[in-house]
Amino acid sequence: MSRQFPRRGRPAFTSRLIALPIFSLLALVCYTWAARRVINQLTASEAKPQETVGCVAWRKTHSCSPFGERDWAWDRDCDTWISMGSGYCECSRNLTTKRLSCGRHTPFNCAAECGELRDNGEAALTLPHNVSCVYSGAVDVRTMQDSLSLPEWRGNTKNMDAQAAVLWGQVMTAVQLSGYNLVPPPGARGASRDWVRDGVRMQREDIMRAQTQWRTFLRESPAYPVEGFIGRGIVILAGGLTYMVPAWVNIHMLRRTGCTLPVEMFFPGKELPTAALEAALSEVGVVCRPLPNLQLQDFPPSNATDTETDLSGFTMKVAALILSRFQEVLFLDSDNVAIEDPEILFSSAGYKQTGALLWPDYWHSSAAPDLQLILDVPSMADNTFESGQMVFDKKRVWEGLLLAAFFNMQSNLYYELFSNFMGKGDKESFAHALRAARLHYHLLETPVGSLGISKTLCSRDQRSCWQEFAGNTMTQHDTDGKLMFLHTNLSPKWSLEVPAEFAYYNRRWQSLIRGWALRSKCLWG
């Protein structure tokens, strides 16, 4: 019997997604791969024009967007001096430069701007064109099914799901035995009020109680199941249109890089895929798995009826990692697209040495000083972490993953200890859990970068204007510093609305900003 997406005041999952893989979703993958060529242009040193670039015209646009709808009446020839308005210089060889939003500008003409591209290739950007699914050098997903590394156990998921439910039940029992929300934080950490910034510290007895609590949890937690996990693969968390659309793009982009690793896609219990979606995902090497009940039943029961505490949200990620059938796991957020085959990460020296690869976030650490005392560790990381991609050998870091689950279940305390208002969530829990469990991890050295768009902003009187970068995508790299992941962390994310024509179109990725130097050691231990 097929599993149905629940009806919660919106059309059924089948009607809104299953009919789309043939049309919109495949077109979206094509669009994404085409966007990858933009990234190659932004990152490749060979992109610098070596020949003389001529001028075609100044192209005026509407909506204060350089690639907005064309304002044909105000196009100008190459020698006309431009000092106001949005648009771009169209140059020969299908290149553009001087892409501007509305407002006043320092006067220029396109003849000179296009001529400078020979010596300043970084200013060039290819003119948008209609999407095509014809790629040079790309792997055709339709022809690679025989080469996919499909797991032998994919036909026995019912038994696997039952075993996963038992294992998660043991984790829940350990949480109950250690206590839930025993230690409250001194307060919340917001933009205007932050108890850490104000110099408030936890009481000594609360620090010791929190330390005893996580140690009790580890002592009561299930041991690594020796025969429970096998092989190597990728884990993605999906469910509902918000996460399923980017997950679909994610999978097809993985396959187009040549990656043949099997994939487990976990779904919350209330957002299970239909049989048709499972079949479509199976064709590209994906096994669909349900997450078990993530609600914690009070222990011991109350006098009247048992109550439940919802542990969903960020706990889903670490639950998917723990319950995956794979021993070696690359976790990817559904909206984190790989543009190179990520399997090489398992062969890196840092992974072989530690069994855990973590990536940096933008921010310097803002962890509360009390956290070091609770975790009982000799030092703390200077940086923050990003959990859109992580690599683990579960056999080697099992206790660290369990403790990360505990921290996320006790988020009322630990999210306030891990970080200020910038970036609360699960992302800091993995590194701190590994440290507390006395396990090692390798932090990639290349700083996180950013992809986004360049905007021209002007004062109200239009007398002064300036360029401003607006990022929408995190860029993460492999262990050799090569760009590998594009994490669309800001909305709007992937949309089903693919333009039929690029009459007007605001390119999501126009500018690449490199990251800053990392301020912490690469290897902790």
Side-chain angles (χ1 to χ4, degrees), residues 1 4 37 47 97 106 109 134 208 218 225 250 265 290 338 408 423 475:
M1 183 176 70
Q4 298 296 322
R37 291 180 292 185
T97 188
T106 301
N109 66 61
V134 179
M208 297 310 299
L218 277 188
N250 190 336
M265 188 174 290
N408 281 280
T475 60

Side-chain angles (χ1 to χ4, degrees), residues 23 29 33 159 205 413 464 510:
F23 302 106
V29 173
W33 188 264
N159 184 47
E205 54 268 26
L413 170 64
S464 62
Q510 297 175 10

Side-chain angles (χ1 to χ4, degrees), residues 29-83:
V29 173
C30 295
Y31 171 46
T32 309
W33 188 264
R36 180 193 174 184
R37 291 180 292 185
V38 176
I39 306 306
N40 291 338
Q41 180 185 355
L42 290 170
T43 57
S45 59
E46 294 80 7
K48 182 177 180 179
Q50 298 298 320
E51 305 173 5
T52 301
V53 179
C55 173
V56 176
W58 164 254
R59 302 303 189 190
K60 180 70 172 61
T61 60
H62 288 292
S63 305
C64 287
S65 169
F67 289 120
E69 185 177 2
R70 288 287 304 282
D71 187 359
W72 305 91
W74 290 93
D75 284 358
R76 292 294 181 261
D77 62 36
C78 295
D79 295 321
T80 299
W81 289 89
I82 307 298
S83 60

Side-chain angles (χ1 to χ4, degrees), residues 50-370:
Q50 298 298 320
E51 305 173 5
T52 301
V53 179
C55 173
V56 176
W58 164 254
R59 302 303 189 190
K60 180 70 172 61
T61 60
H62 288 292
S63 305
C64 287
S65 169
F67 289 120
E69 185 177 2
R70 288 287 304 282
D71 187 359
W72 305 91
W74 290 93
D75 284 358
R76 292 294 181 261
D77 62 36
C78 295
D79 295 321
T80 299
W81 289 89
I82 307 298
S83 60
M84 181 178 290
S86 60
Y88 59 91
C89 290
E90 181 180 348
C91 310
S92 60
R93 295 164 50 196
N94 206 40
L95 297 177
T96 68
T97 188
K98 210 64 177 179
R99 298 166 294 276
L100 300 173
S101 300
C102 56
R104 294 184 181 274
H105 318 299
T106 301
F108 65 92
N109 66 61
C110 290
E113 296 296 330
C114 291
E116 291 182 3
L117 290 183
R118 186 181 186 279
D119 299 318
N120 183 23
E122 293 182 356
L125 202 65
T126 304
L127 191 67
H129 52 80
N130 290 337
V131 169
S132 169
C133 284
V134 179
Y135 310 114
S136 58
V139 177
D140 190 341
V141 176
R142 296 168 297 181
T143 64
M144 68 177 299
Q145 292 185 17
D146 293 339
S147 63
L148 294 177
S149 303
L150 299 178
E152 297 179 357
W153 42 259
R154 67 185 187 278
N156 190 27
T157 57
K158 183 175 294 187
N159 184 47
M160 276 195 316
D161 296 339
Q163 294 175 353
V166 171
L167 177 58
W168 192 251
Q170 295 171 339
V171 174
M172 292 290 97
T173 298
V175 174
Q176 293 167 330
L177 293 176
S178 62
Y180 180 71
N181 278 349
L182 295 181
V183 182
R189 302 179 66 183
S192 58
R193 297 290 302 273
D194 185 326
W195 57 271
V196 175
R197 187 179 60 208
D198 294 340
V200 177
R201 294 295 178 263
M202 294 177 62
Q203 297 295 322
R204 177 67 180 176
E205 54 268 26
D206 285 341
I207 291 174
M208 297 310 299
R209 186 181 298 112
Q211 185 182 115
T212 300
Q213 186 183 15
W214 71 256
R215 291 188 188 280
T216 301
F217 168 80
L218 277 188
R219 186 173 62 250
E220 301 294 338
S221 292
Y224 178 79
V226 178
E227 298 182 357
F229 308 121
I230 188 172
R232 174 185 295 171
I234 298 172
V235 169
I236 297 174
L237 185 64
L241 284 176
T242 301
Y243 296 101
M244 191 59 238
V245 171
W248 181 272
V249 174
N250 190 336
I251 292 297
H252 282 75
M253 286 295 291
L254 275 171
R255 298 312 182 209
R256 290 188 182 280
T257 67
C259 180
T260 61
L261 286 174
V263 177
E264 282 184 304
M265 188 174 290
F266 280 84
F267 293 82
K270 296 181 180 180
E271 299 183 359
L272 297 177
T274 63
L277 179 56
E278 285 196 69
L281 289 170
S282 179
E283 292 179 359
V284 286
V286 178
V287 176
C288 296
R289 302 279 309 278
L291 282 171
N293 182 13
L294 296 182
Q295 291 185 322
L296 177 66
Q297 193 174 57
D298 286 348
F299 184 87
S302 60
N303 294 331
T305 58
D306 294 349
T307 60
E308 291 183 333
T309 301
D310 188 7
L311 297 178
S312 56
F314 289 113
T315 309
M316 294 182 184
K317 183 180 294 188
V318 67
L321 274 165
I322 290 174
L323 301 178
S324 166
R325 179 65 170 171
F326 305 125
Q327 175 187 325
E328 297 181 273
V329 178
L330 163 62
F331 179 89
L332 287 177
D333 274 355
S334 62
D335 53 9
N336 191 6
V337 173
I339 61 173
E340 301 291 343
D341 186 349
E343 188 172 5
I344 62 170
L345 297 171
F346 292 101
S347 302
S348 64
Y351 175 74
K352 290 181 178 180
Q353 184 178 0
T354 65
L357 294 181
L358 297 177
W359 276 258
D361 204 342
Y362 294 114
W363 323 114
H364 194 277
S365 174
S366 59
D370 302 310

Side-chain angles (χ1 to χ4, degrees), residues 211 214-215 371-381 431-438 524:
Q211 185 182 115
W214 71 256
R215 291 188 188 280
L371 181 62
Q372 183 174 353
L373 300 175
I374 292 173
L375 301 185
D376 190 23
V377 293
S379 63
M380 299 287 285
H432 289 306
L434 290 168
R435 284 172 176 266
R438 298 298 190 269
W524 180 86

